[in-house]
Each structure stands twice: as structure tokens, then as C-alpha cells.
Amino acid sequence: MRMKHLIPFMKSEPLVNVVRLQGAISNSGQGLDDPSLAGVIEKAFRRGKPAAVALQINCPGGSPVQSSLIAARIRRLSEEKDVPVFAFVEDVAASGGYWLACAADEIYADASSLVGSIGVISAGFGLQELIANYGVERRVHTAGTSKSMLDPFQKEKPADVKRLKGWLDQLHVNFIAHVKARRGAKLSDNKAMFTGEVWIGQNAVDEGLIDGIDHLVPFMKARFGDKVRLRRYGPKRSLFQRLGASITAATVSGIEDRAAFARFGL
């Protein structure tokens, strides 16, 4: 069989390169981000003249910028190489995870997958009373009236909250524009579409968020034939990671991942 791929006049079975996008999208270097995925995505589009690239997505969201960068890279390569992209949602593709799914030409999910959450969230803690109970005084000196904005060790200021809300609204506008650009007329006119609501399986199909209920292997066999080849790509761990030198970072990342998935009961 290997010789067949070395003989130019013999036809090879169709190849689909698969990229797995598992976990929260992060700007910390521990989750999904553009720098760590750049080489993986490039290989998926360039190696073996693929008939398609498939995205296996299990992602509760995360950094809007990293979501945008990853999705934009996928679109650039898809158009440059004229290779279609199909997304397959597992447990969840919500918020930034759905942003990634929208980079595909078609999106499919399991009947129990959670899809959507087209909104933006910012969360934190107010710790000013905690440190006061321990006799700790917070001292902040700035040049510029906005430099200490949203300091968790100081009482929340209405002006800071208003400014943050403005940022979130702009990010929400960007998210909505991306979804509309990619899904277009497929979307329903449901007023809850862009409220952060989440839909399951067939309901997501009815809202136009996804194209159908299906799984990677049977879909690809139906589309490209029973002899279709699947080649999987993913980030490689460094030697230090393989030897356990990044245990602390991995533990923190794991906690963040679990917290993100827990928002959807997973």
C-alpha cells in the first residue's frame, strides 16, 4: 500500500487531515492558542494534498483574541489551498469554541452537544475586605487616572464598571459579526441568538448554528468514500512536559479547563 502513494499515475484514497481543538482557549500558553496551534494547522492544510480538513472541537471558550487568530488562520489556509473545512462538535463548542467552529464551511455535532453562547463574559473577585480583615493596607500610586482600573484589592468603582461594560459590548459586536459573516442566511431570526444562550443538538440545527447531527468518521466515509484516510494532527508536548517538569502549570491549566467546562454542566 505504501508503494501506491509513490507511483504518480496510481490514484490514492482521499485524505482528510484532522485537527483536535480540546480545552479552553487561553492567552497563558497553557491552553489552546494561536502560537501553539499555528504549526499544527499549517501541516493539516499543506501535507498530503488533503481533500478536506476536519476540526474536532471540544471547547467551552476563552480568549476572544486567540479565538479570532486561530479561526482567521484556518480561513486563510482554507482559501489559499482551496481545501474545505468541516467542524465536528463533541461535548461543547460554546463562546470562543463556537467562534472556532464558525471557521469551518460546515458544522456538525452530536445530538447531545452544547452549541452557542454567543456572548462575552468577564469575571473576577473583590478581595478588599479580605485583606482588611488581616490588617493589610493596599497602596497604589499611578500616573494616569485609569492605571488602577478594576483592582481586585480596591472597592469597585462605577466608572470602571462602565468602561469594562463598553469593552465587553464591543467584543460582543465583533463576535456577532463573525458569526453572521460565516453562517449568514442559515441563522434563524430568534431574538435569543446573540444573548449567550446555548442550544443542544437538533435545536442548534433548527437555529442554523450547525448544519446537522453527525460524527466525523461516518460523515467522511459518506462524503469521500469508505476508503477515506484520516490523518490526525495535534500540538506536541516538549521534553520537559513529557518528563513532568510542567506539572504545576498543567495543574493550574487543568483547573481552569474544568472551571470553564463546568459552566455548561460538564
Side-chain angles (χ1 to χ4, degrees):
M1 288 297 292
R2 290 183 180 178
M3 288 298 295
K4 184 176 181 179
H5 303 300
L6 301 177
I7 303 175
F9 54 81
M10 293 187 70
K11 186 177 180 180
S12 298
E13 294 86 359
L15 171 67
V16 174
N17 288 337
V18 182
V19 177
R20 184 168 183 79
L21 301 173
Q22 165 76 37
I25 303 164
S26 173
N27 57 10
S28 67
Q30 294 299 323
L32 298 177
D33 59 27
D34 185 59
S36 63
L37 288 171
V40 174
I41 295 170
E42 294 272 346
K43 290 176 184 177
F45 279 96
R46 299 183 187 281
R47 288 192 176 178
K49 297 182 179 180
V53 167
L55 309 175
Q56 281 187 308
I57 300 176
N58 198 13
C59 174
S63 164
V65 174
Q66 294 302 317
S67 301
S68 179
L69 291 173
I70 296 166
R73 183 179 299 278
I74 292 169
R75 291 311 315 152
R76 284 197 303 271
L77 288 166
S78 174
E79 293 165 9
E80 176 188 326
K81 296 297 181 181
D82 193 25
V83 174
V85 181
F86 301 92
F88 296 88
V89 180
E90 295 182 351
D91 298 89
V92 60
S95 195
Y98 185 65
W99 190 307
L100 298 184
C102 284
D105 299 294
E106 297 176 27
I107 307 172
Y108 296 90
D110 183 81
S112 298
S113 298
L114 298 170
V115 179
S117 189
I118 304 169
V120 183
I121 186 172
S122 175
F125 297 93
L127 304 175
Q128 71 277 6
E129 293 185 7
L130 175 66
I131 63 173
N133 288 338
Y134 284 90
V136 178
E137 179 185 3
R138 175 72 163 161
R139 296 174 179 174
V140 180
H141 307 280
T142 68
T145 57
S146 299
K147 288 300 292 183
S148 64
M149 180 181 154
L150 298 173
D151 187 328
F153 296 101
Q154 294 183 346
K155 187 176 180 180
E156 199 170 53
K157 302 173 185 176
D160 290 351
V161 175
K162 182 179 179 180
R163 188 179 292 112
L164 174 62
K165 184 64 166 59
W167 295 348
L168 297 179
D169 287 344
Q170 184 57 61
L171 291 173
H172 195 199
V173 167
N174 295 345
F175 194 173
I176 292 171
H178 173 67
V179 173
K180 286 184 174 180
R182 295 299 304 152
R183 299 299 296 173
K186 293 179 179 180
L187 296 172
S188 76
D189 58 1
N190 190 335
K191 293 181 180 180
M193 179 68 65
F194 303 118
T195 64
E197 183 60 82
V198 176
W199 284 268
I200 296 178
Q202 185 58 47
N203 288 336
V205 178
D206 297 339
E207 298 296 339
L209 292 168
I210 64 176
D211 295 283
I213 304 299
D214 216 328
H215 297 159
L216 173 63
V217 174
F219 177 91
M220 289 305 175
K221 286 186 175 182
R223 182 66 64 100
F224 297 107
D226 288 339
K227 294 185 178 181
V228 64
R229 295 176 293 134
L230 301 179
R231 183 178 296 163
R232 301 179 184 276
Y233 291 88
K236 291 184 178 179
R237 295 187 303 164
S238 68
L239 176 61
F240 287 121
Q241 288 174 317
R242 292 197 298 271
L243 294 176
S246 298
I247 290 176
T248 301
T251 299
V252 172
S253 178
I255 293 172
E256 291 175 345
D257 259 17
R258 286 194 293 274
F261 277 106
R263 288 173 47 217
F264 302 98
L266 300 172

